[in-house]
Amino acid sequence: MNRVFHSWHSPRLNRSMELLEFGHAGMPVLVFPTSLGKYYEYEDRGMINALAAKIEAGHLHLYCVDSVDAESWYNKQAAPWDKIQRHNEYEAYLLQEVLPLMGDGKIAVTGCSFGGYHAVNFALRHPDTISHCVSMGGAYDLTSFLGDYQGEDFYFHQPLMYLPQDDDGWYWERYKQLTLILATGENDICRRDNERLSEVLSRRSIPHRLDVWGEGTGHDWPWWQKMARTYF
């Protein structure tokens, strides 16, 4: 399998950023790590192995990025607006530095747990860039990170807030072309988050698929490996 390590100094984050690329052809997939996760997590947790046959066959081309969660949402020393600003810088890094590495066409995004939030929020904010989004065990309610802060800058990173209110036709036309999958387990700690988001999407007639897996499925990597093999 083609495996390439990339590292460069990001001018938008003013720090070194690293990522791992797996594959040589096929659908480019941007992979977000879980909370505070690293770019090598997907490989270490068996997800690359779970998808190895499809990667080697040239069906999937994965780009596993690092996170800056410790400097943004999970930074307990930072003010709410500083957390959001750091996340905005991370989004700019993805859009202007990582995506050009992945080619000039539309891409897919995916993530597990908090990576599911990153994937869904990125897809909904940039539907002109994303063709497919697969979230596994995603957590979408970020209010606990910011206390009572309800600024507009936070509002537009919280799908449970902005989707019910947004009437911008540019987004709705592109949402119709987006394949959006919310996968969770019957015993997943984030199951209710996925059901809440699905309810909002359904009320706004945004096409999506909510899959609640049975057989004791919870919030952990062995189940996410099975989900990845199913959806990719």
PDB file of all heavy atoms in Angstrom, residues 57-79:
ATOM      1  N   ALA A  57      -6.837  -1.476  -3.978  1.00  0.00           N
ATOM      2  CA  ALA A  57      -7.490  -1.652  -5.287  1.00  0.00           C
ATOM      3  C   ALA A  57      -7.682  -0.322  -6.013  1.00  0.00           C
ATOM      4  O   ALA A  57      -8.145  -0.309  -7.159  1.00  0.00           O
ATOM      5  CB  ALA A  57      -8.828  -2.346  -5.107  1.00  0.00           C
ATOM      6  N   GLY A  58      -7.345   0.780  -5.357  1.00  0.00           N
ATOM      7  CA  GLY A  58      -7.477   2.081  -6.001  1.00  0.00           C
ATOM      8  C   GLY A  58      -8.856   2.689  -5.911  1.00  0.00           C
ATOM      9  O   GLY A  58      -9.188   3.605  -6.674  1.00  0.00           O
ATOM     10  N   HIS A  59      -9.675   2.217  -4.948  1.00  0.00           N
ATOM     11  CA  HIS A  59     -11.019   2.772  -4.779  1.00  0.00           C
ATOM     12  C   HIS A  59     -11.042   3.945  -3.802  1.00  0.00           C
ATOM     13  O   HIS A  59     -11.906   4.821  -3.900  1.00  0.00           O
ATOM     14  CB  HIS A  59     -11.980   1.691  -4.294  1.00  0.00           C
ATOM     15  CG  HIS A  59     -12.119   0.529  -5.241  1.00  0.00           C
ATOM     16  ND1 HIS A  59     -12.351   0.698  -6.590  1.00  0.00           N
ATOM     17  CD2 HIS A  59     -12.045  -0.811  -5.037  1.00  0.00           C
ATOM     18  CE1 HIS A  59     -12.421  -0.488  -7.176  1.00  0.00           C
ATOM     19  NE2 HIS A  59     -12.238  -1.421  -6.251  1.00  0.00           N
ATOM     20  N   LEU A  60     -10.123   3.934  -2.831  1.00  0.00           N
ATOM     21  CA  LEU A  60     -10.076   4.966  -1.799  1.00  0.00           C
ATOM     22  C   LEU A  60      -8.677   5.549  -1.693  1.00  0.00           C
ATOM     23  O   LEU A  60      -7.678   4.829  -1.819  1.00  0.00           O
ATOM     24  CB  LEU A  60     -10.468   4.385  -0.434  1.00  0.00           C
ATOM     25  CG  LEU A  60     -11.893   3.868  -0.263  1.00  0.00           C
ATOM     26  CD1 LEU A  60     -12.040   3.217   1.113  1.00  0.00           C
ATOM     27  CD2 LEU A  60     -12.911   4.988  -0.426  1.00  0.00           C
ATOM     28  N   HIS A  61      -8.612   6.839  -1.438  1.00  0.00           N
ATOM     29  CA  HIS A  61      -7.341   7.550  -1.278  1.00  0.00           C
ATOM     30  C   HIS A  61      -7.492   8.423  -0.032  1.00  0.00           C
ATOM     31  O   HIS A  61      -8.118   9.486  -0.079  1.00  0.00           O
ATOM     32  CB  HIS A  61      -7.073   8.392  -2.519  1.00  0.00           C
ATOM     33  CG  HIS A  61      -5.661   8.825  -2.661  1.00  0.00           C
ATOM     34  ND1 HIS A  61      -5.162   9.352  -3.837  1.00  0.00           N
ATOM     35  CD2 HIS A  61      -4.614   8.840  -1.796  1.00  0.00           C
ATOM     36  CE1 HIS A  61      -3.884   9.654  -3.680  1.00  0.00           C
ATOM     37  NE2 HIS A  61      -3.533   9.360  -2.448  1.00  0.00           N
ATOM     38  N   LEU A  62      -6.967   7.960   1.094  1.00  0.00           N
ATOM     39  CA  LEU A  62      -7.205   8.593   2.380  1.00  0.00           C
ATOM     40  C   LEU A  62      -6.116   9.596   2.766  1.00  0.00           C
ATOM     41  O   LEU A  62      -4.926   9.339   2.539  1.00  0.00           O
ATOM     42  CB  LEU A  62      -7.305   7.528   3.489  1.00  0.00           C
ATOM     43  CG  LEU A  62      -8.687   6.918   3.746  1.00  0.00           C
ATOM     44  CD1 LEU A  62      -9.300   6.346   2.471  1.00  0.00           C
ATOM     45  CD2 LEU A  62      -8.609   5.856   4.834  1.00  0.00           C
ATOM     46  N   TYR A  63      -6.550  10.697   3.362  1.00  0.00           N
ATOM     47  CA  TYR A  63      -5.655  11.718   3.898  1.00  0.00           C
ATOM     48  C   TYR A  63      -6.043  11.942   5.364  1.00  0.00           C
ATOM     49  O   TYR A  63      -7.093  12.531   5.654  1.00  0.00           O
ATOM     50  CB  TYR A  63      -5.774  13.015   3.110  1.00  0.00           C
ATOM     51  CG  TYR A  63      -5.321  12.899   1.676  1.00  0.00           C
ATOM     52  CD1 TYR A  63      -6.154  12.338   0.701  1.00  0.00           C
ATOM     53  CD2 TYR A  63      -4.062  13.343   1.277  1.00  0.00           C
ATOM     54  CE1 TYR A  63      -5.750  12.217  -0.626  1.00  0.00           C
ATOM     55  CE2 TYR A  63      -3.649  13.234  -0.046  1.00  0.00           C
ATOM     56  CZ  TYR A  63      -4.486  12.669  -0.982  1.00  0.00           C
ATOM     57  OH  TYR A  63      -4.086  12.556  -2.298  1.00  0.00           O
ATOM     58  N   CYS A  64      -5.229  11.452   6.268  1.00  0.00           N
ATOM     59  CA  CYS A  64      -5.529  11.501   7.702  1.00  0.00           C
ATOM     60  C   CYS A  64      -4.820  12.687   8.335  1.00  0.00           C
ATOM     61  O   CYS A  64      -3.585  12.701   8.439  1.00  0.00           O
ATOM     62  CB  CYS A  64      -5.084  10.206   8.376  1.00  0.00           C
ATOM     63  SG  CYS A  64      -5.830   8.715   7.665  1.00  0.00           S
ATOM     64  N   VAL A  65      -5.595  13.677   8.741  1.00  0.00           N
ATOM     65  CA  VAL A  65      -5.016  14.928   9.233  1.00  0.00           C
ATOM     66  C   VAL A  65      -4.889  14.927  10.750  1.00  0.00           C
ATOM     67  O   VAL A  65      -5.523  14.141  11.460  1.00  0.00           O
ATOM     68  CB  VAL A  65      -5.855  16.143   8.786  1.00  0.00           C
ATOM     69  CG1 VAL A  65      -5.800  16.297   7.281  1.00  0.00           C
ATOM     70  CG2 VAL A  65      -7.297  16.031   9.276  1.00  0.00           C
ATOM     71  N   ASP A  66      -4.059  15.851  11.229  1.00  0.00           N
ATOM     72  CA  ASP A  66      -3.898  16.086  12.654  1.00  0.00           C
ATOM     73  C   ASP A  66      -5.024  17.012  13.125  1.00  0.00           C
ATOM     74  O   ASP A  66      -5.719  17.628  12.316  1.00  0.00           O
ATOM     75  CB  ASP A  66      -2.536  16.744  12.907  1.00  0.00           C
ATOM     76  CG  ASP A  66      -1.905  16.279  14.210  1.00  0.00           C
ATOM     77  OD1 ASP A  66      -2.628  15.691  15.039  1.00  0.00           O
ATOM     78  OD2 ASP A  66      -0.697  16.500  14.403  1.00  0.00           O
ATOM     79  N   SER A  67      -5.201  17.116  14.426  1.00  0.00           N
ATOM     80  CA  SER A  67      -6.180  18.044  14.977  1.00  0.00           C
ATOM     81  C   SER A  67      -5.477  19.155  15.743  1.00  0.00           C
ATOM     82  O   SER A  67      -4.288  19.044  16.071  1.00  0.00           O
ATOM     83  CB  SER A  67      -7.139  17.310  15.921  1.00  0.00           C
ATOM     84  OG  SER A  67      -6.504  17.035  17.161  1.00  0.00           O
ATOM     85  N   VAL A  68      -6.220  20.214  16.032  1.00  0.00           N
ATOM     86  CA  VAL A  68      -5.740  21.253  16.954  1.00  0.00           C
ATOM     87  C   VAL A  68      -6.764  21.418  18.079  1.00  0.00           C
ATOM     88  O   VAL A  68      -6.902  22.495  18.658  1.00  0.00           O
ATOM     89  CB  VAL A  68      -5.464  22.591  16.240  1.00  0.00           C
ATOM     90  CG1 VAL A  68      -4.357  22.445  15.220  1.00  0.00           C
ATOM     91  CG2 VAL A  68      -6.730  23.158  15.597  1.00  0.00           C
ATOM     92  N   ASP A  69      -7.484  20.351  18.405  1.00  0.00           N
ATOM     93  CA  ASP A  69      -8.516  20.404  19.436  1.00  0.00           C
ATOM     94  C   ASP A  69      -7.981  20.931  20.769  1.00  0.00           C
ATOM     95  O   ASP A  69      -8.680  21.643  21.492  1.00  0.00           O
ATOM     96  CB  ASP A  69      -9.125  19.018  19.661  1.00  0.00           C
ATOM     97  CG  ASP A  69      -9.916  18.517  18.469  1.00  0.00           C
ATOM     98  OD1 ASP A  69     -10.329  19.349  17.630  1.00  0.00           O
ATOM     99  OD2 ASP A  69     -10.124  17.291  18.366  1.00  0.00           O
ATOM    100  N   ALA A  70      -6.735  20.561  21.099  1.00  0.00           N
ATOM    101  CA  ALA A  70      -6.159  20.988  22.369  1.00  0.00           C
ATOM    102  C   ALA A  70      -5.936  22.490  22.414  1.00  0.00           C
ATOM    103  O   ALA A  70      -5.817  23.077  23.497  1.00  0.00           O
ATOM    104  CB  ALA A  70      -4.832  20.262  22.618  1.00  0.00           C
ATOM    105  N   GLU A  71      -5.911  23.118  21.231  1.00  0.00           N
ATOM    106  CA  GLU A  71      -5.707  24.565  21.148  1.00  0.00           C
ATOM    107  C   GLU A  71      -7.020  25.306  20.887  1.00  0.00           C
ATOM    108  O   GLU A  71      -7.047  26.535  20.897  1.00  0.00           O
ATOM    109  CB  GLU A  71      -4.717  24.886  20.027  1.00  0.00           C
ATOM    110  CG  GLU A  71      -3.371  24.194  20.184  1.00  0.00           C
ATOM    111  CD  GLU A  71      -2.547  24.212  18.906  1.00  0.00           C
ATOM    112  OE1 GLU A  71      -2.752  25.127  18.080  1.00  0.00           O
ATOM    113  OE2 GLU A  71      -1.713  23.306  18.744  1.00  0.00           O
ATOM    114  N   SER A  72      -8.079  24.552  20.632  1.00  0.00           N
ATOM    115  CA  SER A  72      -9.362  25.190  20.318  1.00  0.00           C
ATOM    116  C   SER A  72     -10.430  24.740  21.317  1.00  0.00           C
ATOM    117  O   SER A  72     -10.453  25.202  22.454  1.00  0.00           O
ATOM    118  CB  SER A  72      -9.764  24.889  18.869  1.00  0.00           C
ATOM    119  OG  SER A  72      -9.837  23.495  18.626  1.00  0.00           O
ATOM    120  N   TRP A  73     -11.293  23.823  20.925  1.00  0.00           N
ATOM    121  CA  TRP A  73     -12.439  23.445  21.754  1.00  0.00           C
ATOM    122  C   TRP A  73     -12.047  22.921  23.132  1.00  0.00           C
ATOM    123  O   TRP A  73     -12.743  23.175  24.114  1.00  0.00           O
ATOM    124  CB  TRP A  73     -13.282  22.406  21.025  1.00  0.00           C
ATOM    125  CG  TRP A  73     -13.735  22.841  19.667  1.00  0.00           C
ATOM    126  CD1 TRP A  73     -13.352  22.317  18.468  1.00  0.00           C
ATOM    127  CD2 TRP A  73     -14.651  23.900  19.351  1.00  0.00           C
ATOM    128  NE1 TRP A  73     -13.966  22.976  17.432  1.00  0.00           N
ATOM    129  CE2 TRP A  73     -14.772  23.952  17.940  1.00  0.00           C
ATOM    130  CE3 TRP A  73     -15.378  24.810  20.126  1.00  0.00           C
ATOM    131  CZ2 TRP A  73     -15.588  24.878  17.300  1.00  0.00           C
ATOM    132  CZ3 TRP A  73     -16.192  25.730  19.486  1.00  0.00           C
ATOM    133  CH2 TRP A  73     -16.286  25.758  18.095  1.00  0.00           C
ATOM    134  N   TYR A  74     -10.952  22.168  23.226  1.00  0.00           N
ATOM    135  CA  TYR A  74     -10.564  21.546  24.494  1.00  0.00           C
ATOM    136  C   TYR A  74      -9.581  22.382  25.309  1.00  0.00           C
ATOM    137  O   TYR A  74      -9.081  21.914  26.332  1.00  0.00           O
ATOM    138  CB  TYR A  74      -9.963  20.157  24.224  1.00  0.00           C
ATOM    139  CG  TYR A  74     -10.999  19.100  23.940  1.00  0.00           C
ATOM    140  CD1 TYR A  74     -11.538  18.939  22.670  1.00  0.00           C
ATOM    141  CD2 TYR A  74     -11.458  18.259  24.946  1.00  0.00           C
ATOM    142  CE1 TYR A  74     -12.498  17.975  22.406  1.00  0.00           C
ATOM    143  CE2 TYR A  74     -12.416  17.283  24.702  1.00  0.00           C
ATOM    144  CZ  TYR A  74     -12.927  17.148  23.431  1.00  0.00           C
ATOM    145  OH  TYR A  74     -13.881  16.187  23.181  1.00  0.00           O
ATOM    146  N   ASN A  75      -9.297  23.578  24.875  1.00  0.00           N
ATOM    147  CA  ASN A  75      -8.355  24.445  25.586  1.00  0.00           C
ATOM    148  C   ASN A  75      -9.091  25.157  26.731  1.00  0.00           C
ATOM    149  O   ASN A  75      -9.741  26.184  26.529  1.00  0.00           O
ATOM    150  CB  ASN A  75      -7.740  25.462  24.623  1.00  0.00           C
ATOM    151  CG  ASN A  75      -6.657  26.301  25.278  1.00  0.00           C
ATOM    152  OD1 ASN A  75      -6.430  26.232  26.487  1.00  0.00           O
ATOM    153  ND2 ASN A  75      -5.968  27.098  24.486  1.00  0.00           N
ATOM    154  N   LYS A  76      -8.958  24.642  27.936  1.00  0.00           N
ATOM    155  CA  LYS A  76      -9.700  25.179  29.081  1.00  0.00           C
ATOM    156  C   LYS A  76      -9.202  26.558  29.514  1.00  0.00           C
ATOM    157  O   LYS A  76      -9.885  27.272  30.239  1.00  0.00           O
ATOM    158  CB  LYS A  76      -9.628  24.201  30.248  1.00  0.00           C
ATOM    159  CG  LYS A  76     -10.328  22.879  29.977  1.00  0.00           C
ATOM    160  CD  LYS A  76     -10.255  21.950  31.170  1.00  0.00           C
ATOM    161  CE  LYS A  76     -10.976  20.634  30.879  1.00  0.00           C
ATOM    162  NZ  LYS A  76     -10.917  19.692  32.033  1.00  0.00           N
ATOM    163  N   GLN A  77      -7.978  26.918  29.102  1.00  0.00           N
ATOM    164  CA  GLN A  77      -7.422  28.214  29.489  1.00  0.00           C
ATOM    165  C   GLN A  77      -7.842  29.334  28.535  1.00  0.00           C
ATOM    166  O   GLN A  77      -7.666  30.521  28.850  1.00  0.00           O
ATOM    167  CB  GLN A  77      -5.890  28.152  29.534  1.00  0.00           C
ATOM    168  CG  GLN A  77      -5.328  27.452  30.770  1.00  0.00           C
ATOM    169  CD  GLN A  77      -5.584  25.959  30.764  1.00  0.00           C
ATOM    170  OE1 GLN A  77      -5.318  25.290  29.769  1.00  0.00           O
ATOM    171  NE2 GLN A  77      -6.094  25.442  31.875  1.00  0.00           N
ATOM    172  N   ALA A  78      -8.397  28.970  27.377  1.00  0.00           N
ATOM    173  CA  ALA A  78      -8.721  29.969  26.355  1.00  0.00           C
ATOM    174  C   ALA A  78     -10.138  30.509  26.526  1.00  0.00           C
ATOM    175  O   ALA A  78     -11.047  29.797  26.978  1.00  0.00           O
ATOM    176  CB  ALA A  78      -8.562  29.374  24.965  1.00  0.00           C
ATOM    177  N   ALA A  79     -10.316  31.759  26.158  1.00  0.00           N
ATOM    178  CA  ALA A  79     -11.652  32.356  26.134  1.00  0.00           C
ATOM    179  C   ALA A  79     -12.452  31.744  24.982  1.00  0.00           C
ATOM    180  O   ALA A  79     -11.868  31.266  23.996  1.00  0.00           O
ATOM    181  CB  ALA A  79     -11.540  33.866  25.944  1.00  0.00           C
TER     182      ALA A  79
END
